Amino acid sequence: MDINKLLESMTPEVFQNLQYAVETGKWHNGTPLSQDQRSTCMQAMMLYQSMHNKEAQHMTVAEGGEISFKSKAELKKQFSKGQEDIVRVNVSSE
Protein backbone atom coordinates (compact mmCIF):
# COMPACT_ATOMS: atom_id res chain seq x y z
CA MET A 1 0.00 0.00 0.00
CA ASP A 2 1.17 3.51 -0.80
CA ILE A 3 2.16 5.43 2.37
CA ASN A 4 0.26 8.55 1.28
CA LYS A 5 -2.92 6.53 0.70
CA LEU A 6 -2.49 4.92 4.11
CA LEU A 7 -2.16 8.30 5.82
CA GLU A 8 -5.10 9.79 3.91
CA SER A 9 -7.35 6.91 4.91
CA MET A 10 -6.25 6.77 8.57
CA THR A 11 -8.71 8.50 10.90
CA PRO A 12 -8.07 9.46 14.54
CA GLU A 13 -10.23 6.46 15.53
CA VAL A 14 -8.06 4.09 13.49
CA PHE A 15 -4.97 5.62 15.11
CA GLN A 16 -6.44 5.05 18.57
CA ASN A 17 -7.24 1.42 17.70
CA LEU A 18 -3.68 0.89 16.50
CA GLN A 19 -2.33 2.56 19.62
CA TYR A 20 -4.45 0.29 21.84
CA ALA A 21 -3.23 -2.76 19.93
CA VAL A 22 0.43 -1.78 20.22
CA GLU A 23 0.14 -0.92 23.93
CA THR A 24 -1.77 -4.05 24.96
CA GLY A 25 -0.54 -6.55 22.37
CA LYS A 26 -4.09 -7.43 21.33
CA TRP A 27 -6.96 -6.08 19.27
CA HIS A 28 -10.13 -4.79 20.95
CA ASN A 29 -11.78 -8.19 20.41
CA GLY A 30 -8.99 -9.87 22.42
CA THR A 31 -7.12 -11.44 19.49
CA PRO A 32 -3.36 -11.22 20.12
CA LEU A 33 -1.13 -9.38 17.64
CA SER A 34 1.74 -11.17 16.00
CA GLN A 35 5.15 -9.52 16.28
CA ASP A 36 4.89 -8.50 12.60
CA GLN A 37 1.45 -6.93 13.18
CA ARG A 38 2.71 -5.04 16.21
CA SER A 39 5.70 -3.74 14.26
CA THR A 40 3.53 -2.67 11.31
CA CYS A 41 1.01 -0.95 13.61
CA MET A 42 3.80 0.92 15.37
CA GLN A 43 5.21 2.12 12.04
CA ALA A 44 1.75 3.27 10.91
CA MET A 45 1.30 5.12 14.22
CA MET A 46 4.62 6.91 13.82
CA LEU A 47 3.76 7.94 10.26
CA TYR A 48 0.36 9.24 11.40
CA GLN A 49 1.95 11.15 14.29
CA SER A 50 4.53 12.69 11.97
CA MET A 51 1.68 14.22 9.96
CA HIS A 52 -0.84 15.13 12.69
CA ASN A 53 0.83 15.38 16.11
CA LYS A 54 0.82 19.14 16.76
CA GLU A 55 1.19 18.81 20.55
CA ALA A 56 3.79 16.12 20.93
CA GLN A 57 4.15 14.54 24.34
CA HIS A 58 7.42 13.36 25.86
CA MET A 59 9.17 10.94 23.51
CA THR A 60 6.70 10.92 20.62
CA VAL A 61 6.95 11.67 16.95
CA ALA A 62 6.03 15.32 16.44
CA GLU A 63 4.51 16.85 13.35
CA GLY A 64 7.11 16.85 10.57
CA GLY A 65 8.69 13.58 11.74
CA GLU A 66 10.84 15.02 14.51
CA ILE A 67 11.15 13.00 17.71
CA SER A 68 9.97 15.10 20.64
CA PHE A 69 11.75 14.85 23.98
CA LYS A 70 10.39 17.06 26.74
CA SER A 71 12.23 17.67 29.99
CA LYS A 72 10.65 17.05 33.36
CA ALA A 73 10.30 20.83 33.87
CA GLU A 74 8.52 21.23 30.50
CA LEU A 75 6.11 18.40 31.34
CA LYS A 76 5.37 19.85 34.80
CA LYS A 77 4.66 23.23 33.23
CA GLN A 78 2.43 21.68 30.55
CA PHE A 79 0.37 19.65 33.01
CA SER A 80 0.04 22.40 35.61
CA LYS A 81 -1.60 24.88 33.19
CA GLY A 82 -5.06 25.80 34.39
CA GLN A 83 -4.74 23.92 37.65
CA GLU A 84 -5.32 25.87 40.80
CA ASP A 85 -4.44 24.82 44.29
CA ILE A 86 -7.35 23.54 46.33
CA VAL A 87 -5.61 24.08 49.63
CA ARG A 88 -2.10 24.96 50.73
CA VAL A 89 -0.93 23.95 54.17
CA ASN A 90 2.17 25.35 55.80
CA VAL A 91 3.50 22.77 58.20
CA SER A 92 6.08 23.96 60.67
CA SER A 93 7.79 21.80 63.22
CA GLU A 94 7.69 23.55 66.60
Side-chain angles (χ1 to χ4, degrees):
M1 177 179 242
D2 183 319
I3 291 174
N4 292 324
K5 287 183 182 178
L6 170 72
L7 290 174
E8 288 172 10
S9 65
M10 190 182 288
T11 64
E13 293 78 22
V14 170
F15 174 79
Q16 289 174 347
N17 286 335
L18 293 175
Q19 187 175 26
Y20 175 85
V22 168
E23 289 175 353
T24 63
K26 58 186 175 183
W27 298 110
H28 280 288
N29 68 2
T31 305
L33 270 73
S34 69
Q35 191 58 42
D36 286 341
Q37 287 175 321
R38 198 170 200 172
S39 177
T40 301
C41 289
M42 196 175 305
Q43 290 175 28
M45 284 176 53
M46 291 173 72
L47 284 169
Y48 181 86
Q49 286 179 321
S50 72
M51 299 298 290
H52 301 287
N53 195 4
K54 295 184 187 332
E55 290 188 33
Q57 300 297 318
H58 179 68
M59 292 184 61
T60 61
V61 179
E63 189 173 33
E66 302 262 338
I67 300 219
S68 171
F69 293 98
K70 290 188 178 178
S71 69
K72 187 175 179 180
E74 289 173 310
L75 290 170
K76 282 178 92 173
K77 185 177 178 182
Q78 176 183 345
F79 290 114
S80 65
K81 287 180 184 175
Q83 292 184 6
E84 298 177 16
D85 292 336
I86 295 171
V87 116
R88 281 196 184 239
V89 177
N90 188 6
V91 179
S92 61
S93 56
E94 291 182 37

